Every structure is written in C-alpha cells, then in structure tokens.
Amino acid sequence: MGIVSPGFRRKRRDDVRLPPGQYLTEDFPVLSAGPTPYVPLDRWEFTITSETGQSYQWSWDELQELPAEEPTVDIHCVTKWSKLETTWRGVSLDLLMEEVETTADFALVHCYGGYTTNLPLEDLLDGKAWVAYEFEGDELAPQHGGPARLLVPHLYFWKSAKWVRGIQLQEFDEPGFWESVGYHNYGDPWREQRYQGD
C-alpha cells in the first residue's frame, strides 16, 4: 500500500513563504501511519484531560455549536511538500482550553486509530491551533483526517494529527508515534527539523 496519493505532482518554487527544502504542490497528498479509521459522528468525542485527571469533553454536536474560525494557512509536510493558502474551519484550542485548569507544559495528542503526537502546550494556544472539521468549504474527508483533525500549521504537518480524539496535558514531554521512531521532537519547518538531530 502506497502512502502517497496517485497524481501527486510537485514543483520547486522560490517563494519567501516556502520553508527551506520544500516543494510547492497544488494537490493534497495523502500520507498516513496506518489505515483510515471510520468514526461515526454519533460516537465521535473530543476530550481534554488535565495532568490531574480532570476531563473536559465535547460530542460532535457540542463541537459544532461552538464559535468556529476559518483560518487560511500554509501547510508543510516533513516529506517536503507545501500547500499554500489552505482554508479550514474549526474550533480554536484557545476556546476549548478556556475552562481547563492546568499548570502543564506539554500535550500528548491522541487519535482514533491509535496515532499520537507530542507538542509543547504553548504551541496549541494563542491562535496557533484548531480542531478542524472543514477544508476548503467542504467536510473534512476521512483520508485527510475527517471527521476532525488537529491543525497546527506552524509546525510540520505530522503534528496536525488526523482523526483527533483528545489531548492529554502533561508536566513532562512524552514522544508520540513518529517522534519515537526518529522524527524531530518539535518539527519547525523553517528550521528543517525533520529528524532527531536536525
């Protein structure tokens, strides 16, 4: 099974918005660590769990009732493709974290299908991250992380975890799936932090 969608085309572009080592694509390549999980909306839920074990939970309908934002952002994959000016719709992590009491510095993101990724909590706040459920005006397709994915566009796209189901807040940093097998712990595309040691 290939991990890149058919018809994937890339071209080099000299653009100040393109991080070093990246290629511009008009496509939206599909890359996944495993099979695409099917998540019925009536069973979908998103949970933030604090370091003390306090849980804050939203059903699909509850998430849809929250004020949404429509960020237009550039996205950059560790496999070197970039897609510029993508438009999403979703709920800001700032809004979801409003009532959460925490002193944690780190977050471990959990997904349907078992995938995880880690981030400093500060990279999810201050207008930097969303739980996104629409892409370019349409429902987010399952192969792109639907019904909902994390969107953290200032980091490489593996940090924008597909099929997101929750965030565990932690006082310590715990590597996620790709970070445990050699990907960079942080993943800044402007510093080419693709792999450990970069």
Side-chain angles (χ1 to χ4, degrees):
M1 177 177 85
I3 61 168
V4 177
S5 59
F8 173 57
R9 298 180 309 276
R10 67 182 185 183
K11 62 181 178 178
R12 186 82 183 183
R13 178 170 164 179
D14 294 321
D15 192 314
V16 294
R17 291 171 51 198
L18 208 55
Q22 294 293 110
Y23 295 90
L24 183 66
T25 183
E26 300 299 325
D27 300 323
F28 194 169
V30 176
L31 298 99
S32 300
T36 300
Y38 172 69
V39 186
L41 296 183
D42 61 351
R43 295 196 355 231
W44 184 93
E45 61 185 23
F46 180 77
T47 305
I48 297 175
T49 306
S50 75
E51 68 277 19
T52 64
Q54 178 70 41
S55 291
Y56 305 81
Q57 193 168 68
W58 296 266
S59 68
W60 182 256
D61 289 340
E62 290 168 337
L63 185 78
Q64 299 295 305
E65 291 171 6
L66 295 174
E69 296 180 6
E70 294 189 1
T72 297
V73 297
D74 301 340
I75 55 176
H76 311 289
C77 183
V78 71
T79 61
K80 300 189 177 185
W81 62 262
S82 289
K83 188 170 177 64
L84 305 182
E85 296 185 16
T86 62
T87 301
W88 304 78
R89 182 176 177 82
V91 177
S92 169
L93 260 291
D94 293 312
L95 180 61
L96 295 171
M97 287 288 296
E98 271 184 357
E99 304 298 321
V100 177
E101 294 183 24
T102 184
T103 59
D105 291 321
F106 299 99
L108 186 64
V109 180
H110 294 270
C111 303
Y112 292 96
Y115 179 82
T116 58
T117 193
N118 58 303
L119 301 99
L121 181 56
E122 66 184 1
D123 284 285
L124 298 177
L125 303 175
D126 296 324
K128 297 179 193 168
W130 298 263
V131 174
Y133 50 81
E134 288 184 13
F135 175 72
E136 302 295 353
D138 293 318
E139 291 179 0
L140 185 60
Q143 69 267 25
H144 293 303
R149 76 179 297 155
L150 190 64
L151 177 64
V152 190
H154 67 282
L155 299 177
Y156 279 125
F157 211 43
W158 90 81
K159 296 289 189 175
S160 294
K162 297 184 191 182
W163 315 299
V164 68
R165 68 174 176 86
I167 296 175
Q168 172 71 52
L169 302 177
Q170 301 181 151
E171 295 174 346
F172 57 92
D173 196 11
E174 179 181 344
F177 176 84
W178 285 118
E179 297 83 4
S180 296
V181 295
Y183 277 46
H184 197 278
N185 203 49
Y186 186 63
D188 182 345
W190 294 98
R191 295 165 62 193
E192 290 195 86
Q193 294 177 333
R194 301 177 197 281
Y195 307 105
Q196 291 177 14
D198 288 348

